[in-house]
C-alpha cells in the first residue's frame, strides 16, 4: 500500500495572504486526516512564506496519522524538528531563496554533512528520508549517510509526463526513476516520492514503481480541492494509489 501524505503548505499560503487565520491550518490538517490522508507533511521554509514554525508546534499534538517535516537542515530547522520529534523528517537541499524544491541531494559531495545530520535525527528516534534525483549513482551514498528512505524528486517526471501527450516520451528519464527505485530497495532503503505529482500523473508513476511506501502531495492537490472539494479530492488521490 502506498500512503498519501498531504502537504498543507499552500493552505498556509492562502491564510498568510490576508494575515488572519483563514483557513485554519490546524483544522485543515485534522480534516485531511478525517477525509483519508495517511499523513500530514509540512515544509517550514526559512522565510515562513507559508508554514510557520509555530504551525509545526501547534500541529504536533493534533496530527494522529504520520507527521512529516521537510526542510533544509539549518540550525533553526534542526532545533524545531528535534523539539517536535515527528514520525519522519525529509531533508531537502533547498537554499533559503528557492521558490520551491528543484533538486535532490548530492549524497556523495555532502556525505559527511548528511551523516552528521541524519545521525542526530535518528538518535532522537526520527525516521529520515532524503530528497534524491532519479540518479542511481547517488543511492549507495544515501544509505551510507544513514537514511532510512529516499524521496524521489518527481518534478522532472511530472514535466516529462505533461509533454508526453505532444512529444515522444523520454523513456530514459523514466528508466532512471525505475532504476533508482530498484537500486534503493535492493539495499534496504524504503521509497517515498514527491513534487508536482497530480491526479494526471500519479497512477502511471505508481503502476511502474510499485515499491512506493509514501507519496507527499500538496500543490496540485490543493488546486484540485478548489474545484472538487477537499474530501472528494483526497479520496480521488487515494484511489489513484490503490494496488
Ligand atoms: C520537497 C518538496 O518537493 C516539497 O516540500 C515542495 O518543495 C513543497 O514546497 P513549496 O510548497 O514551498 O513549493
Ligand atoms: N515532498 C513533496 C511534497 O511534500 C509536496 O510537493 P508538491 O506536491 O507541493 O509539489
Amino acid at each position: 500500500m502506498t500512503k498519501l501524505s498531504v502537504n498543507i503548505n499552500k493552505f498556509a499560503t492562502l491564510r498568510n495572504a490576508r494575515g488572519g487565520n483563514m483557513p485554519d491550518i490546524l483544522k485543515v490538517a485534522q480534516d485531511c486526516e478525517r477525509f483519508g490522508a495517511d499523513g500530514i507533511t509540512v515544509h517550514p521554509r526559512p522565510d515562513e512564506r507559508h508554514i510557520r514554525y509555530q504551525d509545526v508546534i501547534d500541529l504536533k499534538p493534533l496530527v494522529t496519522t504520520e507527521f512529516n517535516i521537510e526542510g533544509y537542515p539549518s540550525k533553526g530547522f534542526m532545533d524545531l524538528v528535534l523539539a517536535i520529534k515527528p514520525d519522519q523528517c525529509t531533508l531537502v537541499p533547498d537554499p533559503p531563496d528557492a521558490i520551491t524544491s528543484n533538486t535532490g541531494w548530492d549524497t556523495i559531495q555532502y556525505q559527511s554533512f548528511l551523516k552528521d545530520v541524519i545521525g542526530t535525527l535518528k538518535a532522537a528516534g526520527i525516521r529520515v528520508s532524503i530528497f534524491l534525483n532519479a540518479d542511481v549513482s547517488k543511492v549507495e551514498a544515501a544509505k551510507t549517510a544513514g537514511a532510512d528512505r529516499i524521496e524521489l524528486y518527481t518534478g522532472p517526471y511530472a514535466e516529462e509526463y505533461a509533454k508526453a501527450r505532444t512529444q515522444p516520451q523520454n523513456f530514459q528519464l523514466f528508466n532512471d526513476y525505475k532504476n533508482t527505485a530498484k537500486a534503493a530497495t535492493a539495499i534496504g532503503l524504503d521509497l517515498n516520492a514527491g513534487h508536482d505529482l497530480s491526479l494526471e500523473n500519479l497512477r502511471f508513476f505508481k503502476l511502474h514503481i510499485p515499491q512506493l511506501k509514501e507519496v507527499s502531495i500538496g500543490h496540485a492537490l490543493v488546486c484540485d480541492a478548489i474545484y472538487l472539494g477537499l474530501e472528494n479530492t483526497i479520496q480521488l488521490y487515494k484511489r489513484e494509489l490503490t494496488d
Side-chain angles (χ1 to χ4, degrees):
M1 171 198 166
T2 302
K3 292 186 174 183
L4 171 67
S5 186
V6 175
N7 182 312
I8 61 172
N9 291 352
K10 298 301 164 20
F11 290 105
T13 300
L14 182 57
R15 176 201 59 192
N16 296 357
R18 177 86 39 110
N21 190 40
M22 190 186 289
D24 177 342
I25 294 304
L26 306 185
K27 183 179 185 310
V28 165
Q30 292 177 297
D31 285 343
C32 286
E33 293 185 323
R34 188 160 53 88
F35 297 155
D38 304 300
I40 298 297
T41 290
V42 293
H43 189 152
R45 293 185 177 274
D47 61 8
E48 296 191 306
R49 68 190 74 162
H50 41 53
I51 290 290
R52 298 174 179 138
Y53 276 37
Q54 190 58 49
D55 292 327
V56 181
I57 295 163
D58 295 342
L59 280 164
K60 167 65 180 177
L62 301 177
V63 173
T64 58
T65 55
E66 280 224 337
F67 197 19
N68 175 40
I69 304 177
E70 294 187 337
Y72 178 84
S74 64
K75 184 179 184 318
F77 177 83
M78 288 294 284
D79 289 347
L80 174 71
V81 172
L82 291 169
I84 297 294
K85 292 187 175 53
D87 300 281
Q88 177 176 268
C89 178
T90 302
L91 301 175
V92 297
D94 296 0
D97 60 349
I99 186 172
T100 189
S101 308
N102 60 11
T103 192
W105 286 97
D106 180 334
T107 52
I108 297 167
Q109 180 179 350
Y110 294 98
Q111 175 74 188
S112 173
F113 174 67
L114 286 170
K115 202 172 271 188
D116 289 347
V117 167
I118 294 171
T120 302
L121 292 168
K122 289 183 74 171
I126 301 164
R127 183 175 73 223
V128 179
S129 178
I130 58 174
F131 208 49
L132 211 64
N133 297 325
D135 178 354
V136 175
S137 72
K138 300 296 187 297
V139 172
E140 180 69 33
K143 181 75 174 176
T144 54
D148 299 296
R149 298 191 182 184
I150 63 169
E151 175 172 334
L152 282 174
Y153 167 46
T154 46
Y157 159 75
E159 190 177 344
E160 194 58 33
Y161 188 92
K163 283 192 303 191
R165 290 194 194 86
T166 57
Q167 297 176 30
Q169 278 190 317
N170 176 350
F171 290 106
Q172 183 51 52
L173 174 68
F174 200 66
N175 287 335
D176 291 345
Y177 280 96
K178 291 169 78 168
N179 293 337
T180 305
K182 191 175 172 187
T185 48
I187 58 173
L189 284 168
D190 281 330
L191 200 62
N192 293 350
H195 203 89
D196 283 340
L197 291 173
S198 69
L199 284 176
E200 284 70 37
N201 62 36
L202 183 55
R203 164 64 60 183
F204 185 87
F205 195 83
K206 160 73 178 169
L207 281 179
H208 290 82
I209 302 200
Q211 314 96 318
L212 274 183
K213 282 272 189 189
E214 173 189 294
V215 290
S216 42
I217 305 177
H219 195 91
L221 188 148
V222 174
C223 294
D224 290 331
I226 293 170
Y227 290 96
L228 306 171
L230 184 54
E231 181 169 9
N232 182 30
T233 297
I234 288 176
Q235 289 302 317
L236 288 170
Y237 275 85
K238 294 269 289 184
R239 192 171 65 186
E240 295 302 291
L241 292 170
T242 51
D243 293 324

